[in-house]
Amino acid sequence: MSYRQFPWGDEGGLALGVDLGGTKIAAILATSQGKIIAREHRTTPTHEDPETVIQSLKRTIYELKEVSDVASSQISGIGIAAAGILDFKAGVVTTSPNLPGWQDIPLREIIQREYGWPTFLENDANAAALGEYYFGAAKGSSNFIYITISTGIGTGIFINGQLYRGVSGAAGEAGHMTIKADGNLCSCGNIGCWESLASGSALAREAVRQIEQGAKTAIQGDLTQITAETVSQAAQQGDRLAQELISHLGYYVGVGIVNLVNIFNPELILIGGGVTEIGELLFQPAVNLVKERAFSLSAKAVRIEKAQLGSDSGTLGATTLVWLNK
Ligand SMILES: [Zn+2]
Protein backbone atom coordinates (compact mmCIF):
# COMPACT_ATOMS: atom_id res chain seq x y z
CA MET A 1 0.00 0.00 0.00
CA SER A 2 1.45 3.34 -1.02
CA TYR A 3 1.32 6.24 1.44
CA ARG A 4 0.57 8.54 -1.45
CA GLN A 5 -3.02 7.37 -1.72
CA PHE A 6 -3.92 9.40 1.38
CA PRO A 7 -4.34 13.15 1.04
CA TRP A 8 -2.63 13.58 4.40
CA GLY A 9 0.52 11.83 3.12
CA ASP A 10 2.67 9.76 5.43
CA GLU A 11 1.59 11.60 8.56
CA GLY A 12 3.04 9.91 11.65
CA GLY A 13 1.33 9.69 15.02
CA LEU A 14 -1.89 8.11 16.16
CA ALA A 15 -5.54 9.10 16.31
CA LEU A 16 -8.41 7.92 18.47
CA GLY A 17 -11.65 6.95 16.78
CA VAL A 18 -14.82 6.53 18.81
CA ASP A 19 -18.21 5.26 17.69
CA LEU A 20 -21.05 6.24 20.01
CA GLY A 21 -24.01 4.09 19.03
CA GLY A 22 -27.36 3.29 20.57
CA THR A 23 -26.15 -0.15 21.71
CA LYS A 24 -22.35 0.05 21.86
CA ILE A 25 -19.51 2.48 22.46
CA ALA A 26 -16.45 1.36 20.47
CA ALA A 27 -13.05 3.04 20.52
CA ILE A 28 -9.85 2.38 18.58
CA LEU A 29 -6.36 3.79 18.39
CA ALA A 30 -5.06 3.77 14.81
CA THR A 31 -2.24 5.02 12.63
CA SER A 32 -2.81 7.51 9.79
CA GLN A 33 -2.64 4.52 7.42
CA GLY A 34 -5.65 2.90 9.08
CA LYS A 35 -3.81 0.27 11.11
CA ILE A 36 -5.65 -0.40 14.38
CA ILE A 37 -3.23 -0.89 17.27
CA ALA A 38 -5.70 -1.09 20.19
CA ARG A 39 -9.44 -1.32 20.75
CA GLU A 40 -12.00 -1.13 23.58
CA HIS A 41 -15.75 -1.31 23.78
CA ARG A 42 -18.63 -1.31 26.23
CA THR A 43 -22.42 -1.32 26.19
CA THR A 44 -24.05 2.11 25.88
CA PRO A 45 -26.19 2.85 28.96
CA THR A 46 -28.82 4.07 26.48
CA HIS A 47 -31.63 4.42 28.99
CA GLU A 48 -29.60 6.56 31.40
CA ASP A 49 -29.30 10.34 31.00
CA PRO A 50 -26.78 11.86 28.54
CA GLU A 51 -24.38 12.68 31.42
CA THR A 52 -24.08 8.95 32.29
CA VAL A 53 -23.55 8.01 28.63
CA ILE A 54 -20.81 10.66 28.34
CA GLN A 55 -19.12 9.30 31.51
CA SER A 56 -19.20 5.86 29.92
CA LEU A 57 -17.68 7.29 26.74
CA LYS A 58 -14.87 8.94 28.72
CA ARG A 59 -14.19 5.71 30.63
CA THR A 60 -13.88 3.80 27.33
CA ILE A 61 -11.32 6.34 26.08
CA TYR A 62 -9.30 6.23 29.33
CA GLU A 63 -9.27 2.43 29.25
CA LEU A 64 -8.16 2.38 25.62
CA LYS A 65 -5.31 4.73 26.47
CA GLU A 66 -4.33 2.55 29.39
CA VAL A 67 -4.28 -0.77 27.48
CA SER A 68 -2.40 0.75 24.55
CA ASP A 69 0.24 2.29 26.84
CA VAL A 70 0.74 5.26 24.51
CA ALA A 71 1.80 8.73 25.70
CA SER A 72 -0.74 11.56 25.24
CA SER A 73 1.82 13.44 23.15
CA GLN A 74 1.73 10.67 20.51
CA ILE A 75 -1.99 11.17 19.96
CA SER A 76 -2.80 13.76 17.28
CA GLY A 77 -6.51 14.00 17.98
CA ILE A 78 -9.80 12.28 18.43
CA GLY A 79 -12.71 11.75 16.06
CA ILE A 80 -16.14 10.84 17.38
CA ALA A 81 -18.83 9.21 15.26
CA ALA A 82 -22.20 9.64 16.94
CA ALA A 83 -25.64 8.29 16.11
CA GLY A 84 -27.75 11.38 15.63
CA ILE A 85 -28.45 14.60 13.76
CA LEU A 86 -25.36 16.72 14.27
CA ASP A 87 -24.43 20.33 13.77
CA PHE A 88 -21.06 19.46 12.24
CA LYS A 89 -19.51 22.94 12.46
CA ALA A 90 -20.60 23.52 16.06
CA GLY A 91 -19.80 19.95 17.16
CA VAL A 92 -23.23 19.53 18.72
CA VAL A 93 -25.54 16.50 18.80
CA THR A 94 -28.88 18.26 18.21
CA THR A 95 -31.09 15.19 18.51
CA SER A 96 -30.82 11.42 18.24
CA PRO A 97 -33.53 8.78 17.70
CA ASN A 98 -31.09 6.19 19.13
CA LEU A 99 -29.92 8.13 22.19
CA PRO A 100 -33.02 9.17 24.12
CA GLY A 101 -32.78 12.52 25.88
CA TRP A 102 -29.94 13.86 23.73
CA GLN A 103 -30.90 17.43 22.82
CA ASP A 104 -28.25 20.01 21.84
CA ILE A 105 -25.33 18.29 23.60
CA PRO A 106 -22.00 20.04 22.78
CA LEU A 107 -20.16 16.72 22.69
CA ARG A 108 -17.08 17.97 20.83
CA GLU A 109 -16.40 20.69 23.41
CA ILE A 110 -17.00 18.29 26.33
CA ILE A 111 -14.48 15.77 25.00
CA GLN A 112 -11.95 18.40 23.92
CA ARG A 113 -12.04 19.93 27.41
CA GLU A 114 -11.50 16.52 29.01
CA TYR A 115 -8.41 15.49 27.02
CA GLY A 116 -7.06 18.61 25.29
CA TRP A 117 -6.61 16.87 21.92
CA PRO A 118 -8.11 18.39 18.76
CA THR A 119 -11.58 16.83 18.64
CA PHE A 120 -14.02 16.28 15.77
CA LEU A 121 -17.61 15.10 15.69
CA GLU A 122 -19.35 13.41 12.78
CA ASN A 123 -22.56 11.48 12.18
CA ASP A 124 -21.91 7.72 12.46
CA ALA A 125 -23.00 6.77 8.93
CA ASN A 126 -21.01 9.69 7.46
CA ALA A 127 -17.98 8.52 9.44
CA ALA A 128 -18.45 4.97 8.16
CA ALA A 129 -18.57 6.33 4.58
CA LEU A 130 -15.26 8.12 5.25
CA GLY A 131 -13.81 4.87 6.62
CA GLU A 132 -14.84 2.85 3.56
CA TYR A 133 -13.61 5.62 1.22
CA TYR A 134 -10.10 5.83 2.65
CA PHE A 135 -9.55 2.28 3.94
CA GLY A 136 -12.29 -0.01 2.61
CA ALA A 137 -14.44 -1.00 -0.35
CA ALA A 138 -15.02 2.53 -1.69
CA LYS A 139 -11.33 3.32 -2.31
CA GLY A 140 -11.09 5.11 -5.64
CA SER A 141 -14.88 5.62 -5.96
CA SER A 142 -15.55 9.36 -5.94
CA ASN A 143 -19.33 9.09 -6.21
CA PHE A 144 -20.77 6.51 -3.87
CA ILE A 145 -23.38 6.03 -1.17
CA TYR A 146 -22.77 4.05 1.98
CA ILE A 147 -25.84 2.49 3.57
CA THR A 148 -25.86 0.79 6.95
CA ILE A 149 -28.85 -1.38 7.80
CA SER A 150 -29.13 -2.48 11.41
CA THR A 151 -31.74 -1.41 13.97
CA GLY A 152 -32.21 1.66 11.77
CA ILE A 153 -30.84 2.85 8.41
CA GLY A 154 -28.01 5.35 8.12
CA THR A 155 -26.40 6.68 4.96
CA GLY A 156 -23.35 8.72 3.95
CA ILE A 157 -23.13 10.35 0.52
CA PHE A 158 -19.89 11.03 -1.35
CA ILE A 159 -19.99 13.45 -4.29
CA ASN A 160 -16.87 14.12 -6.37
CA GLY A 161 -14.60 12.64 -3.70
CA GLN A 162 -16.13 14.70 -0.86
CA LEU A 163 -18.51 13.71 1.89
CA TYR A 164 -21.70 15.67 1.27
CA ARG A 165 -22.76 17.31 4.55
CA GLY A 166 -25.27 19.91 3.39
CA VAL A 167 -25.50 23.42 4.79
CA SER A 168 -25.75 22.45 8.49
CA GLY A 169 -24.01 19.09 8.46
CA ALA A 170 -27.27 17.18 8.65
CA ALA A 171 -27.33 15.81 5.06
CA GLY A 172 -27.37 12.13 4.20
CA GLU A 173 -30.35 11.07 6.31
CA ALA A 174 -31.72 8.87 3.56
CA GLY A 175 -33.02 6.44 6.20
CA HIS A 176 -35.65 9.08 6.88
CA MET A 177 -36.82 9.76 3.35
CA THR A 178 -40.55 9.13 3.14
CA ILE A 179 -41.25 5.92 1.23
CA LYS A 180 -44.83 5.24 2.32
CA ALA A 181 -46.60 8.49 3.14
CA ASP A 182 -49.39 6.73 5.07
CA GLY A 183 -47.10 4.12 6.64
CA ASN A 184 -45.98 3.40 10.21
CA LEU A 185 -44.58 5.86 12.71
CA CYS A 186 -40.78 6.06 12.52
CA SER A 187 -38.39 6.45 15.49
CA CYS A 188 -37.78 10.03 14.25
CA GLY A 189 -41.44 10.99 14.65
CA ASN A 190 -42.19 11.13 10.93
CA ILE A 191 -44.36 8.60 9.07
CA GLY A 192 -43.37 5.90 6.59
CA CYS A 193 -39.61 6.55 6.53
CA TRP A 194 -37.36 4.09 4.65
CA GLU A 195 -35.99 3.00 8.05
CA SER A 196 -39.50 2.09 9.25
CA LEU A 197 -39.85 -0.30 6.26
CA ALA A 198 -36.40 -1.69 5.50
CA SER A 199 -34.44 -1.95 8.78
CA GLY A 200 -33.83 -4.81 11.22
CA SER A 201 -36.50 -3.41 13.55
CA ALA A 202 -38.97 -3.32 10.65
CA LEU A 203 -38.23 -6.99 9.92
CA ALA A 204 -38.80 -8.02 13.54
CA ARG A 205 -41.96 -5.90 13.82
CA GLU A 206 -43.48 -7.41 10.66
CA ALA A 207 -42.67 -10.95 11.88
CA VAL A 208 -44.47 -10.30 15.17
CA ARG A 209 -47.46 -8.79 13.38
CA GLN A 210 -47.86 -11.77 11.05
CA ILE A 211 -47.41 -14.35 13.84
CA GLU A 212 -50.05 -12.54 15.91
CA GLN A 213 -52.38 -12.83 12.92
CA GLY A 214 -51.83 -16.60 12.90
CA ALA A 215 -49.25 -17.02 10.12
CA LYS A 216 -47.66 -20.48 10.00
CA THR A 217 -44.00 -20.43 11.05
CA ALA A 218 -41.33 -22.34 12.97
CA ILE A 219 -40.47 -19.17 14.92
CA GLN A 220 -41.40 -19.99 18.50
CA GLY A 221 -41.40 -18.39 21.93
CA ASP A 222 -41.78 -14.95 23.41
CA LEU A 223 -42.83 -12.53 20.66
CA THR A 224 -41.17 -9.59 22.43
CA GLN A 225 -37.79 -11.33 22.00
CA ILE A 226 -37.99 -11.65 18.21
CA THR A 227 -35.17 -9.81 16.41
CA ALA A 228 -33.94 -9.57 12.82
CA GLU A 229 -31.49 -12.33 13.72
CA THR A 230 -34.30 -14.66 14.85
CA VAL A 231 -36.02 -14.20 11.50
CA SER A 232 -32.75 -14.64 9.60
CA GLN A 233 -31.97 -17.93 11.39
CA ALA A 234 -35.48 -19.26 10.73
CA ALA A 235 -35.12 -18.35 7.03
CA GLN A 236 -31.83 -20.27 6.81
CA GLN A 237 -33.59 -23.31 8.27
CA GLY A 238 -36.16 -23.13 5.50
CA ASP A 239 -39.02 -21.34 7.26
CA ARG A 240 -41.32 -20.02 4.53
CA LEU A 241 -42.70 -17.04 6.45
CA ALA A 242 -39.19 -15.90 7.45
CA GLN A 243 -38.01 -16.19 3.84
CA GLU A 244 -40.99 -14.18 2.59
CA LEU A 245 -40.43 -11.50 5.23
CA ILE A 246 -36.78 -11.13 4.22
CA SER A 247 -37.63 -11.03 0.55
CA HIS A 248 -40.17 -8.29 1.35
CA LEU A 249 -37.52 -6.44 3.35
CA GLY A 250 -35.12 -6.72 0.38
CA TYR A 251 -37.83 -5.23 -1.83
CA TYR A 252 -38.06 -2.17 0.43
CA VAL A 253 -34.27 -1.92 0.65
CA GLY A 254 -34.41 -1.83 -3.15
CA VAL A 255 -37.10 0.88 -3.25
CA GLY A 256 -34.82 3.21 -1.29
CA ILE A 257 -31.81 2.38 -3.44
CA VAL A 258 -33.79 3.06 -6.64
CA ASN A 259 -34.48 6.58 -5.32
CA LEU A 260 -30.84 7.15 -4.42
CA VAL A 261 -29.59 5.79 -7.76
CA ASN A 262 -31.98 8.04 -9.69
CA ILE A 263 -31.08 11.12 -7.66
CA PHE A 264 -27.29 10.70 -7.40
CA ASN A 265 -26.27 8.42 -10.30
CA PRO A 266 -23.50 6.92 -8.11
CA GLU A 267 -20.88 4.41 -9.30
CA LEU A 268 -21.16 2.39 -6.11
CA ILE A 269 -23.72 1.60 -3.41
CA LEU A 270 -22.05 0.01 -0.41
CA ILE A 271 -24.21 -1.80 2.10
CA GLY A 272 -23.06 -2.54 5.64
CA GLY A 273 -24.63 -3.13 9.05
CA GLY A 274 -25.75 -6.24 10.93
CA VAL A 275 -28.80 -6.99 8.77
CA THR A 276 -26.59 -7.50 5.68
CA GLU A 277 -25.30 -10.73 7.30
CA ILE A 278 -28.54 -12.24 5.93
CA GLY A 279 -26.83 -12.20 2.52
CA GLU A 280 -28.32 -13.06 -0.89
CA LEU A 281 -31.87 -13.59 0.33
CA LEU A 282 -31.90 -9.88 1.19
CA PHE A 283 -29.64 -8.54 -1.59
CA GLN A 284 -31.18 -10.28 -4.58
CA PRO A 285 -34.65 -8.65 -4.43
CA ALA A 286 -32.99 -5.26 -3.87
CA VAL A 287 -30.62 -5.64 -6.83
CA ASN A 288 -33.44 -6.91 -9.05
CA LEU A 289 -35.61 -3.93 -8.19
CA VAL A 290 -32.83 -1.48 -9.06
CA LYS A 291 -32.44 -3.16 -12.48
CA GLU A 292 -36.20 -3.07 -12.99
CA ARG A 293 -37.06 0.41 -11.80
CA ALA A 294 -34.09 2.78 -11.84
CA PHE A 295 -33.29 4.66 -15.05
CA SER A 296 -31.24 2.24 -17.10
CA LEU A 297 -28.34 4.66 -17.63
CA SER A 298 -27.90 4.97 -13.85
CA ALA A 299 -28.79 1.32 -13.12
CA LYS A 300 -26.09 0.12 -15.54
CA ALA A 301 -23.48 2.41 -14.01
CA VAL A 302 -23.94 1.37 -10.39
CA ARG A 303 -22.32 -1.54 -8.55
CA ILE A 304 -24.10 -2.71 -5.40
CA GLU A 305 -21.61 -4.29 -3.00
CA LYS A 306 -21.08 -5.21 0.63
CA ALA A 307 -19.04 -2.85 2.80
CA GLN A 308 -15.62 -4.16 3.88
CA LEU A 309 -14.75 -2.81 7.28
CA GLY A 310 -17.65 -4.09 9.38
CA SER A 311 -18.01 -2.29 12.70
CA ASP A 312 -14.57 -0.67 12.23
CA SER A 313 -15.85 1.58 9.43
CA GLY A 314 -17.21 4.21 11.86
CA THR A 315 -14.22 4.31 14.19
CA LEU A 316 -11.65 4.30 11.36
CA GLY A 317 -13.67 6.94 9.51
CA ALA A 318 -13.69 9.08 12.67
CA THR A 319 -9.87 9.00 12.76
CA THR A 320 -9.71 10.42 9.22
CA LEU A 321 -11.27 13.66 10.54
CA VAL A 322 -8.12 14.14 12.60
CA TRP A 323 -5.80 13.65 9.59
CA LEU A 324 -7.94 15.65 7.17
CA ASN A 325 -8.02 18.62 9.55
CA LYS A 326 -4.37 18.64 10.64
ZN1 LIG B 1 -37.74 8.55 10.25
Side-chain angles (χ1 to χ4, degrees), residues 113-299:
R113 218 186 302 133
E114 180 83 13
Y115 302 97
W117 299 309
T119 304
F120 305 91
L121 183 66
E122 182 56 275
N123 166 270
D124 54 356
N126 282 356
L130 283 165
E132 292 287 344
Y133 181 66
Y134 289 109
F135 305 122
K139 262 187 225 168
S141 297
S142 299
N143 293 282
F144 80 98
I145 299 172
Y146 170 84
I147 304 169
T148 172
I149 310 176
S150 55
T151 319
I153 294 182
T155 57
I157 298 163
F158 255 73
I159 300 174
N160 298 334
Q162 296 277 326
L163 179 66
Y164 181 70
R165 293 194 173 94
V167 73
S168 324
E173 289 296 331
H176 300 282
M177 60 182 164
T178 305
I179 297 288
K180 200 172 177 186
D182 58 352
N184 292 318
L185 186 65
C186 178
S187 61
C188 73
N190 204 345
I191 305 245
C193 295
W194 190 24
E195 170 172 311
S196 74
L197 292 156
S199 64
S201 316
L203 179 63
R205 196 185 326 111
E206 191 55 22
V208 171
R209 196 182 68 83
Q210 297 224 11
I211 293 167
E212 278 174 347
Q213 287 180 354
K216 268 173 71 183
T217 173
I219 300 171
Q220 299 287 336
D222 185 353
L223 292 188
T224 62
Q225 299 300 311
I226 289 179
T227 62
E229 217 180 332
T230 319
V231 182
S232 169
Q233 280 164 3
Q236 273 154 26
Q237 286 156 16
D239 186 70
R240 277 287 287 280
L241 177 74
Q243 288 173 348
E244 279 167 23
L245 288 168
I246 288 170
S247 168
H248 193 64
L249 190 80
Y251 167 84
Y252 272 117
V253 168
V255 171
I257 295 176
V258 167
N259 290 346
L260 294 172
V261 164
N262 280 347
I263 297 168
F264 293 101
N265 182 205
E267 61 193 286
L268 176 68
I269 297 272
L270 267 192
I271 311 183
V275 172
T276 53
E277 297 302 320
I278 292 173
E280 281 308 294
L281 203 54
L282 176 78
F283 279 103
Q284 212 48 57
V287 170
N288 288 347
L289 202 78
V290 174
K291 280 189 198 142
E292 241 174 76
R293 294 201 186 169
F295 287 117
S296 70
L297 189 65
S298 298

